[in-house]
Amino acid sequence: MADPMPMTDSPITTVAPGWAIAALGILGALAVTAAMLDGALAARAGGGPGGKMGGPVRPFGEAARLMRQRRRTTVEADRLLWRIGGAGLLVVAALMVTVVPLGEWTIFDLDVGVMWFNAMDVMVWALVWLTGWGANSAHSLVGGYRFLAHGLGYELPLMFALVAPAIAAESLNVGAVAAAQEGLWFAVWMPVAFLVYLLGVAAFSVWGPFAPAIGTDVSGGARVELSGVDRLVFEAGRYALLAAGAAFAVPMFLGGGAGPLLPGWAWVLVKTVALLAVLVWLRRRLPAFRPDKFMEVGWMLLLPAVLLQDLVVAVIAVWRS
């Protein structure tokens, strides 16, 4: 029987593990850039703590405030799981970017890199829920379950959105997927999968329309009991997840490092920053999705649409082969 998904030789070079430190530095710089842009947009809108004050430097002031703040705990909290949930978002974001090629280099050139990314985003389910559950607080627990409800709506469409580029490239290797877009980005002829993927990135980052899990109507939701450094790490994890999601979109849908004049690694960074800016900008442009309503949207609209996209891609891939 023929292999339905033959592995393609990767055009990517694996670098020494020590370069992981540089990758973490780039991820941190992207997360700080997103926070600064978000602060600037918040100041322009005159919303959030501090009104119009601060702008791009507001995240630094907030970080300094949280680092000075005393860590609060709650009665009978499961501190270990609570801390794992709050800090785990940063770890997951770091693991996501290990398979993202920076031009021709990558940390891990896995044959199943696409599945690796998908597995990491599923881990966010557990981490956000643990943040809400570990505090032994009603409001944070409600926030955790809200996130799970959103997860039921976005995860399957996100998974099938990742399938479309893999089918077209006939590989689950991220470098091979990027190389398969020579001459035409997948975002151009897979617009449904691309948009569903971006929606999934916002969702697992608890961002924009998916913020009800940390909504003010439940006093901050899953993060309500986090304070001091714990809250700073949780917020940094959200920005890092947003940056990791934008970076992964580049080899999957935006041609990887392909582009004129600049070297491949520079194009990856340029495309990542541009997409990250769009995601940050959309935060205040879309209404919040009620978890129960979004489940209907996810299962009745997004899932059939992305499955149809996968079918079209599969037919084209068979025809081309």
Side-chain angles (χ1 to χ4, degrees), residues 161-162 165 181 185-188 190 193-194 197 249-255:
L162 292 172
Q181 300 173 63
W185 295 357
F186 286 165
V188 175
M190 303 178 192
F194 182 52
Y197 171 80
V250 173
M252 292 297 288
F253 293 100
L254 300 178

Side-chain angles (χ1 to χ4, degrees), residues 103 178 181-183 185 250 254-260 262-265 267-268 271:
Q181 300 173 63
E182 186 175 359
W185 295 357
V250 173
L254 300 178
L262 298 176
W265 62 267
W267 272 115
V268 171
K271 294 174 184 178

